[in-house]
Structures are given as structure tokens and as C-alpha cells.
Amino acid sequence: MATSESAQGRKIERLVKGRATSDGAGVKLTRVLTHDLQHRLDPFLMLDSFRNENPDDYMGGFPDHPHRGFETVTYMLAGRMRHHDSAGNTGLLGPGGVQWMTAGSGLIHSELPEQEEGLMEGFQLWLNLPSHRKMSAPSYRDIPSEAIPEIVLADGAKVRVIAGSSHGTQGAVVRPDTEPLYLDVHLPAGGKFEQPIPASHNAFVYVYRGEVRVAGSVVAERTMAILSNESDSVAIAAEAPARFILVAGKPLREPIAQHGPFVMNTMEQIEQTFRDYRDGFFEANAVRKD
Ligand code: FE
């Protein structure tokens, strides 16, 4: 029988509000997982939350830009974004859908709104690649909303399993090395949700509607809670309806050298990346559709 202490699971180590900023061509967003948290939340490098009603705050989108050395995971809650990349692939990301792009050795892509009014809301998460996969062939997957497994648990939680697995349901994406867990959880009033997470994996919750409690402590709307690593599970409850993402992964424990959209292990690799970019390697790099 678990003691009440261990039954509480992981605790909140720190609450983070993030920083309002803009990126791309003037898209307003909140950078929740910032540079200074990259080691604490290894293998995650960045989390942006965007929620804009005013088209002026999103219409510019993210015109052509390169990436190398990691994966970008875009989850749309509302709105539509059109993706183009340097191999001529195109995809339309709609409400509830995910784009999982492995930049690997490099590509150039654009992410542009496919709407002129209404709410644009979602997240972009950056997931690092281990050193031996940073120069692997780029690939991407568009996962429409209906392809994301959804489960409803006895306590009323609705769980969309984007990556990893939850309560016996495997998610839309399973990745090696970092073993990411990415869940979108909707709790009804009085609902609760428990999830095993290996204690060695780093984990956080980001609440985007309402508020929740983790081991008795409140996490307010639009707040990230970094979870302590002392337990192999987390329990999250809500008094009123609430929605949050729960993200966890196995740390890589490798050096991180970042310059903007390039994330490698050493500055020499970053310098090589600049040379490759200048020399047109990124345009020429074929992108494979899974
Ligand atoms: Fe991008």
C-alpha cells in the first residue's frame, strides 16, 4: 500500500509564466519554455503558446526559415496553418491536428495561417535529437485530429494521446531515444487524472484553460508547472473544467549548442551549419514523407 506521500506523486518544483514575445513575421506568442530551462527540461528545447483573436497578431505567420538538429511539434487547438518545405511538400494543419517534423540534417519551411479572421491557438514544442540522429534525413508527418487516439477515463478525463502512451493507448507518435509523452487532457469539474512517468524523465504541465491542482498545489491558467523528479507518477485534479498538456521525455544529457533555429552539440557544428546553409545544402536536402 502506498503511503499518502508517495500516492501524491510528483510535486510542483516551479511555476513558470513564460515571456511575451513575437517570432516569424510578427506572430505574438508566449515563450513558456525558454533557453534557461533547456537543461532542466532536457530533451525539450522550447515551448511556445499562441492564442490570438486578432489577425494582425498572426497573419504574418512564419515565412521560409531553416531548422537543423531537432524536431518541431506543432499542435493546433484552433485555426489553420499551411506548411511548405524545401522539398515541395505541403500540408494543412487544422484544429486538433499535429505536425511532427524531424528537421534532422536540415530543411527550410514556412508555416503560414490559412485564415483571415478568428482564433488561432496552439503550441509549438521543440524536442531535441540525440547527437547520432542530428544529421539524419529530415521527415515530417501531418497528423489530422481524427488520427489522434482519444480515451475517456472512469474519472471523466478525456485524453488525446499525441505521443507516447496513456492508460494502455498508444499515441499517434512513438519516438526512440527521448521517448516523448505528449498528452492533451480535458478534465471535467471534479475530474482527476493520473499518469505514470519514469522518475528519470523530465516533465511539465501547461494549463491552457481553467486551473488544476498537482499534489495539492494550484497551477493557474496559462502557467507551466515543472514537475519534480522524485516519483514515477503524477496526479492532476480540477475543481472546475480545465484543460492542460502534459509533456515528458527522457533526458539526453548531451551538450546543447543553439543558434536560433539550429541546435547541435558544439559551436563547431553550428559554424558548419551556417556554411551548409550558405552553400544551399538545406534547399537541396530531400524531405521524406512518412
Ligand atoms: Fe519552423
Side-chain angles (χ1 to χ4, degrees), residues 76-246:
M76 293 298 283
L77 296 169
R80 290 176 196 283
M81 289 265 236
R82 174 74 63 181
H83 160 95
H84 278 282
D85 65 45
S86 44
N89 290 308
T90 177
L92 181 62
L93 187 56
V98 169
Q99 183 204 65
W100 197 290
M101 187 180 81
T102 304
S105 60
L107 49 66
I108 296 173
H109 77 156
S110 62
E111 302 151 287
L112 298 170
E114 189 107 327
Q115 65 187 43
E116 289 173 1
E117 55 180 24
L119 179 66
M120 174 78 75
E121 181 178 17
F123 303 101
Q124 188 169 88
L125 178 72
W126 287 12
L127 169 60
N128 210 353
L129 283 168
S131 56
H132 69 278
R133 287 191 204 270
K134 282 185 178 289
M135 292 301 283
S136 61
S139 67
Y140 91 100
R141 276 182 67 193
D142 279 315
I143 306 154
S145 186
E146 59 272 19
I148 295 176
E150 255 182 43
I151 50 175
V152 178
L153 302 172
D155 289 327
K158 185 179 97 172
V159 186
R160 310 194 76 226
V161 190
I162 297 168
S165 68
S166 183
H167 294 260
T169 296
Q170 186 169 294
V173 176
V174 174
R175 297 293 286 146
D177 309 306
T178 52
E179 302 171 22
L181 175 76
Y182 193 156
L183 307 177
D184 177 16
V185 182
H186 302 187
L187 287 180
K192 64 179 183 197
F193 173 71
E194 286 185 38
Q195 173 72 34
I197 301 170
S200 59
H201 290 204
N202 292 326
F204 65 86
V205 167
Y206 181 80
V207 179
Y208 65 92
R209 288 287 188 286
E211 63 175 43
V212 303
R213 276 174 187 273
V214 178
S217 299
V218 172
V219 188
E221 188 165 302
R222 300 196 204 207
T223 305
M224 172 169 77
I226 297 175
L227 303 177
S228 66
N229 287 66
E230 80 236 356
S231 163
D232 57 6
S233 72
V234 63
I236 300 163
E239 282 163 25
R243 297 182 181 194
F244 61 89
I245 54 172
L246 170 61

